[in-house]
Amino acid sequence: SVRENGEVKEIVWQLDMQKGKEYQLEYTFDAPDISPEFYLLGPLSIGSSVGSGQAWQEARYWQIASDATETLSPDALLTQTNLTGSITDVQDDPDSPDSNWLTAGVNVATTARVSFPTPTGAPRDGADLQEFRILIRKTATNNGKTDDTYTVHLYEDGNLRQSTIASGSGVPADPSSTVVSATWDSSNLTSNDGSGVEAYITTTPEAGGSPTSRGSIEVGAFEWNVDYSTNNNPVLSSVKDGPDPSQVGNTVTFYADWNDQDAEGVNLFVCDQSGGNQAGCPSSTYCYTSDHGTSDPMTCDYTTSSTGTKTYYAYVCDNEPTCSGELSGTFTVNAATPVSKIFDGMFMLDYQGIIK
């Protein structure tokens, strides 16, 4: 049954559970069609209702991120071969185009490569999550053959990242046209933010019939349908250090209390100057972590080397990467305490506590 408790809905199973037996309980959750948005499920509890003596309850909520999409038009026509026109001829919607095209003569191989602006959020990795849509047609003058071909490739800043993400033949002739869907995986990119993405289409004309009327392929529009993640900056709520004061040569541990709404791991940076970013500290680094861990508090250690009161600036960064704001603090390092010892009847002082 489903019970409503204010803004919370509880799914309740009435069961007589016996020790040693396995039970499988299932439900389906359909999140509202709102993007970007963030939803919480759970926690599951066994026993009475939550907050009134349940026997067991999950330690935390399940988190669901509803990702966003956007459609981008190209911002530059980088190369074109045997085509006449400009970037404005291919910036319209492939599904409702205007009358402007990159046009071609007969019996020529054509190519066009365009770049796109950086999307609002980082493209999500995964097979077929990203899509180019390209409007193409064959010239009105043609031999009616179906051996013309096209191939679409993914480029980034002029470099091939994924070859042949779509291909085909037998393109309809003007005044008809077709929209090519070319899907790809953003894990093939080198940048996390999707900057530098390019679509590249190469074509060959008809091979049969009279050479003077072999149809060539023209291009009418490009677009990139971006599936991207909406990222929330991690939050650093407090940072502590200890032991404080410490002594030269001893270890100071920094403890960072943090959270990330997107349930991502973070790296901790502790710097001697303000202004660090995901690449690291602007000057010297007291310590840092590098594995995008999930421990909370997150810790790192610094071995002291000089005396005085030291100021530090701490922050955390997730793997998008975005960073929290900085929190600062101080720790004090004193000289090592002299240690007196008697060795073979001799009185010695050693600041390291070691008799040599």
Side-chain angles (χ1 to χ4, degrees):
S1 63
V2 177
R3 298 191 306 216
E4 294 195 18
N5 182 11
E7 295 183 352
V8 176
K9 288 187 177 181
E10 295 180 347
I11 303 174
V12 180
W13 291 272
Q14 298 290 345
L15 298 172
D16 182 10
M17 304 177 74
Q18 299 180 19
K19 182 178 180 180
K21 290 191 176 182
E22 293 185 1
Y23 298 86
Q24 182 171 323
L25 308 176
E26 297 180 351
Y27 67 92
T28 300
F29 173 72
D30 182 13
D33 296 328
I34 301 173
S35 179
E37 192 52 89
F38 193 79
Y39 302 98
L40 297 176
L41 297 180
L44 172 67
S45 64
I46 298 176
S48 302
S49 60
V50 175
S52 59
Q54 64 270 17
W56 176 85
Q57 179 173 296
E58 288 180 304
R60 60 189 301 176
Y61 289 93
W62 292 90
Q63 300 171 323
I64 296 178
S66 179
D67 292 315
T69 61
E70 68 178 337
T71 298
L72 297 179
S73 295
D75 56 6
L77 178 58
L78 302 175
T79 61
Q80 60 188 102
T81 305
N82 295 321
L83 290 168
T84 300
S86 66
I87 182 61
T88 58
D89 297 321
V90 291
Q91 287 181 315
D92 42 318
D93 183 348
D95 296 307
S96 55
D98 58 23
S99 59
N100 299 315
W101 285 71
L102 298 179
T103 57
V106 296
N107 198 23
V108 292
T110 62
T111 71
R113 181 163 59 92
V114 298
S115 62
F116 292 90
T118 302
T120 301
R124 285 205 308 139
D125 293 348
D128 302 329
L129 289 183
Q130 309 302 321
E131 180 191 35
F132 293 142
R133 290 174 60 80
I134 307 173
L135 178 66
I136 59 175
R137 71 184 181 191
K138 193 157 52 182
T139 52
T141 300
N142 64 85
N143 290 320
K145 304 297 183 180
T146 59
D147 50 4
D148 50 280
T149 68
Y150 65 85
T151 306
V152 182
H153 310 279
L154 169 65
Y155 271 66
E156 180 186 28
D157 292 324
N159 298 296
L160 178 64
R161 297 301 183 214
Q162 191 173 347
S163 178
T164 314
I165 56 177
S167 62
S169 61
V171 175
D174 183 14
S176 296
S177 61
T178 188
V179 176
V180 174
S181 172
T183 58
W184 48 280
D185 187 342
S186 63
S187 65
N188 291 293
L189 302 175
T190 60
S191 66
N192 290 327
D193 62 1
S195 59
V197 167
E198 300 167 2
Y200 184 37
I201 185 169
T202 62
T203 79
T204 63
E206 293 176 327
S210 171
T212 59
S213 57
R214 290 174 181 170
S216 304
I217 295 179
E218 302 174 319
V219 183
F222 286 88
E223 73 176 16
W224 174 17
N225 290 327
V226 188
D227 187 322
Y228 68 89
S229 298
T230 55
N231 183 62
N232 296 282
N233 287 18
V235 175
L236 180 62
S237 52
S238 67
V239 62
K240 300 178 182 178
D241 62 86
D244 191 358
S246 183
Q247 294 182 349
V248 170
N250 289 351
T251 297
V252 173
T253 300
F254 298 92
Y255 304 85
D257 186 16
W258 63 278
N259 63 78
D260 186 272
Q261 187 175 339
D262 304 319
E264 296 175 303
V266 297
N267 289 336
L268 168 64
F269 296 88
V270 183
C271 311
D272 70 343
Q273 292 185 15
S274 178
N277 56 31
Q278 63 269 20
C281 297
S283 181
S284 296
T285 304
Y286 286 124
C287 62
Y288 70 98
T289 63
S290 59
D291 59 353
H292 287 106
T294 57
S295 59
D296 187 17
M298 183 164 288
T299 64
C300 66
D301 295 331
Y302 166 66
T303 301
T304 61
S305 59
S306 62
T307 61
T309 298
K310 317 290 185 179
T311 300
Y312 62 86
Y313 302 86
Y315 62 96
V316 293
C317 298
D318 62 22
N319 57 6
E320 293 297 336
T322 56
C323 300
S324 70
E326 291 180 334
L327 293 179
S328 63
T330 61
F331 64 96
T332 300
V333 182
N334 296 325
T337 303
V339 177
S340 61
K341 291 192 176 182
I342 301 295
F343 184 71
D344 286 343
M346 299 178 63
F347 180 78
M348 301 184 68
L349 289 178
D350 180 10
Y351 279 79
Q352 302 298 321
I354 300 174
I355 303 300
K356 299 180 180 179

